[in-house]
Amino acid sequence: MLEAGPLLDPAKHFSEHLWPYQLPHRGAGISGSGYDASGSRELDVAFISGNIPGEPYVNAPGSPFGWDRARILGGRTNHFTRVWLRMAEADFKGRSLDGAGYDWPITYKDLKPYYDKSDAYVGAYGTKENIPSAPDGIFQPPPHPRCSDVVIQRGCKKLGIPCVPGRAAIITRTLNGRPPCHYCNQCERGCGTNSNFSSSQTLIPAALATGRLMIIPNAMAREILVGDDGKACKVSYIDKTTRTEQQVRARAFVLGASACESARLLLNSKSALFPNGLANSSGVVGRYLMDSPSSGVIGYFPQLEKLPPHNHDGTGSVHVYTPWWKYDRRNKFLRGYHIEVYGGRNMPSVGMFHGISEEVEGYGRPLKQACRKRYGTHVSVEGRGEMIPNQKSYCEIDPNTVDQWGIPVLRFHFAWGENDIRMAQDMRETFNAIIEAAGGKTVSEIGSAASPWGYLYETGVAHEVGTVRMGSDPKTSVLNGFCQAHNVKNLFVTDGACFVTNPDKNPTATILALSWRASEYLLSEARKGNL
């Protein structure tokens, strides 16, 4: 395994049990922006940022896309929210159902055994609800709702909107020697007990224990080289510690560098056989870039002021959520979204009380009393929807910019579609209605009607997928249904790049299921001598 960053040491890189006063500048960073001089968040797992010094990316004019990257073993699985949702049967055949986008070359039936295997091995909590838009999984018992969750559930009930126990890759019962979550609500800063899922702590140690995995850290892949037979034969990479170029040979290659980074590597791997980039005979590598159309509203609930102080931090993920509930009716937009709820008295952090400080004059005890009164009274209601792939959203190699290792970087072209904008408007209306029905008041919301992207998070939410999509036709896709390149049979791409569409389900559970399925297929083909 070539890892672009260092190996991960939980004792060094995880900070989930540190208080702000134990960190330089109370975790605000030297600039006060929440990032330190290296571009890493001090209150987060190290090396995760949209701004990696020496490794830029370029945005075309008018493109709002933001690209968060991780340069450490396990990548962004070290800090994501662990929301764990399966794609539904309808998600694989959207074009057949409504004429938009594209169908996958596989079905839910093909992937279900691997969803099951992943659930059983990783561990996830939830409840069986028998909702067609949100297939049930293999669940451990979910945590109880927080006080803020109960408030939102009451509002949803008044409106006839389902709000069920959340689904997240965090264990609440012992699994494979991993202890259950102790509810510190610091998942995004790592987990020293390995109670939440990350590939660095849950998958890779088991692979290392076999004695058949060697990890080469600080290895920035530059290019995949091909032989005269058209097969991939070796990878050229930069050893970051010595700044020298190295090569490694193999019989088969699997890319899992994240959707855009994998596309970048293929596009930079040009040769006489593949002048437009490796496995890119179709010309679609980098195309059909998608993120999750998302919006959010924050509500203030005065009834939460009356709660006696107590610990209801819970997990670092959702305790309740709303699966897509309007799948059986005609809406103003295609496809749908789910709702995530976040609230409670989380660990105090820099900037938490800025809003109150602007409202309340004074200092000392009166200001502290006001902060304590408002502490934990705000609840965030957020939506994650499906983006219909469009021709305006893609990444390509920038002809003028290289990173500090001399590797050409990506240039992004990105535009939300009208369907995405209409979906975000529906989110806003729904969220405001829920907050009002729950007895709260909206105090903050994303975007505005005057914004070109309406109420969307303009830069996305780091759910980018689709740049090396699978399909049945080699003329319009890069991979087959097993994540194997049509043109290079010993090359596989198993991260979010292989996605055909980007449903409202957070992509990690599907990435793992697809990877497991591709791995079994790769091994079977290797034994047959087909690679």
Side-chain angles (χ1 to χ4, degrees), residues 402-438:
V402 298
D403 64 17
Q404 64 176 317
W405 319 109
I407 305 172
V409 308
L410 286 178
R411 177 170 59 194
F412 289 98
H413 303 256
F414 194 82
W416 297 106
E418 287 298 322
N419 193 72
D420 308 319
I421 295 172
R422 290 196 298 270
M423 184 184 296
Q425 174 66 32
D426 190 87
M427 290 183 193
R428 173 182 176 268
E429 293 169 359
T430 300
F431 302 164
N432 283 327
I434 291 172
I435 289 170
E436 181 179 352

Side-chain angles (χ1 to χ4, degrees), residues 146-149 151-152 185 297-307 312 341-346 351-357 359-360 370-382 435 439-445:
R146 305 175 181 93
C147 298
S148 52
D149 299 323
V151 169
I152 295 297
N185 196 343
V297 170
I298 297 176
Y300 161 65
F301 295 87
Q303 61 266 48
L304 293 176
E305 293 180 1
K306 302 174 183 179
L307 289 175
H312 54 117
V341 180
Y342 298 96
R345 291 186 170 100
N346 297 324
M352 177 177 282
F353 300 107
H354 278 177
I356 299 173
S357 298
E359 294 178 25
V360 179
C371 290
R372 290 191 179 101
K373 183 179 180 181
R374 297 285 187 88
Y375 185 30
T377 61
H378 292 84
V379 182
S380 176
V381 185
E382 303 183 14
I435 289 170
K441 175 185 177 182
T442 297
V443 295
S444 176
E445 57 186 20

Side-chain angles (χ1 to χ4, degrees), residues 279-335:
N280 194 26
S281 298
S282 63
V284 300
V285 171
R287 300 285 163 169
Y288 307 106
L289 172 63
M290 295 167 282
D291 204 319
S292 297
S294 300
S295 189
V297 170
I298 297 176
Y300 161 65
F301 295 87
Q303 61 266 48
L304 293 176
E305 293 180 1
K306 302 174 183 179
L307 289 175
H310 68 288
N311 185 345
H312 54 117
D313 289 355
T315 74
S317 189
V318 290
H319 282 208
V320 300
Y321 95 113
T322 292
W324 178 231
W325 75 103
K326 293 193 288 186
Y327 55 86
D328 57 352
R329 65 196 76 172
R330 190 176 185 87
N331 303 295
K332 296 179 181 179
F333 53 88
L334 299 176
R335 316 296 167 82

Side-chain angles (χ1 to χ4, degrees), residues 480-523:
N480 64 19
F482 291 98
C483 303
Q484 180 185 31
H486 291 303
N487 305 142
V488 186
K489 62 183 181 179
N490 67 335
L491 175 68
F492 294 75
V493 182
T494 60
D495 51 33
C498 70
F499 280 40
V500 180
T501 59
N502 192 23
D504 71 290
K505 285 72 178 182
N506 302 33
T508 311
T510 300
I511 290 173
L512 187 55
L514 288 168
S515 298
W516 201 317
R517 183 171 183 266
S519 297
E520 288 190 357
Y521 176 79
L522 187 159
L523 183 59

